[in-house]
Amino acid sequence: MAQAFPPEFGEAWNRRQVSDALLLAGTHYALITPGGIVGPGPHDDVAGFSLSRGLFDEEELLLFAIAPSWRRRGLGHALLALFIDDCRQRGKKRLFLEMRRNNSAGILYAAHGFRPIGIRPRYYRMSNGDRVDAITQELVID
Ligand SMILES: CC(C)(COP(=O)(O)OP(=O)(O)OC[C@H]1O[C@@H](n2cnc3c(N)ncnc32)[C@H](O)[C@@H]1OP(=O)(O)O)[C@@H](O)C(=O)NCCC(=O)NCCS
């Protein structure tokens, strides 16, 4: 978490936020190893993670990250594909996420079928006080 989210964006959760989220019904997470093995773990080495929460037939991807030293090797693709497949198997029909405007993650999300459906103006507050829009993205599963 600490490595994955640049501090200036203030997107990282603290330990308490994560542990509280994991206690809530409907929270799901996955870890990915540098070798591309995906699952809840335990794993000796972790290169990235996802955390989501579902309600009825919808799921929101809350956190998604690959550690900087393991980026651009396809791990983001692999973890996102697993997330979508896992949601499909759990009967989810609509997946959502919020993304900082101009985050390069948008290219990855688009490649997996996510589409922008809304803007939350000035949603993120950066460490320098600037505000950045959030783009809400949706993937409808057939
Ligand atoms: C977004 C993130 C998860 C991508 O992880 P990754 O392991 O590098 O992803 P992949 O190697 O599978 O690449 C996926 C595709 O996304 C695009 N992409 C990823 N990072 C990119 C960048 N910095 N610039 C341009 N395109 C990028 C590319 O199309 C890439 O495919 P390619 O390498 O074949 O060109 C990672 O950069 C990350 O953790 N970022 C910080 C946390 C974050 O912003 N998470 C999303 C919150 S909404």
Side-chain angles (χ1 to χ4, degrees), residues 4-5 64-66 71-74 76-77 103-105 107-109:
F5 292 97
F64 187 86
I66 302 294
R71 286 182 192 161
R72 304 306 295 264
R73 299 162 194 234
H77 275 302
N103 188 341
S104 53
I107 303 167
L108 172 62
Y109 295 138

Side-chain angles (χ1 to χ4, degrees), residues 3 11 17 20 23 31 33 39 44 47 52 68 75 77 80-81 83 86 91 98 105 125-126 131-132 138:
Q3 290 174 30
E11 294 167 323
Q17 287 172 303
D20 283 355
L23 291 173
L31 307 172
T33 69
D44 290 339
S52 65
L75 293 178
H77 275 302
L80 190 60
F83 168 71
D86 181 51
E98 302 278 353
R125 187 168 184 277
M126 295 175 59
R131 296 276 185 170
V132 181
E138 178 193 46

Side-chain angles (χ1 to χ4, degrees), residues 50-106:
S50 67
L51 187 127
S52 65
R53 188 175 306 144
L55 190 64
F56 304 114
D57 61 357
E58 298 182 352
E59 186 95 359
E60 181 172 8
L61 184 58
L62 298 168
L63 291 170
F64 187 86
I66 302 294
S69 53
W70 295 107
R71 286 182 192 161
R72 304 306 295 264
R73 299 162 194 234
L75 293 178
H77 275 302
L79 187 58
L80 190 60
L82 177 107
F83 168 71
I84 295 167
D85 197 46
D86 181 51
C87 287
R88 183 180 283 114
Q89 288 186 26
R90 290 190 281 114
K92 301 294 175 174
K93 300 293 182 204
R94 297 174 77 202
L95 313 186
F96 296 97
L97 61 89
E98 302 278 353
M99 190 197 83
R100 183 174 13 95
R101 185 191 284 283
N102 295 331
N103 188 341
S104 53

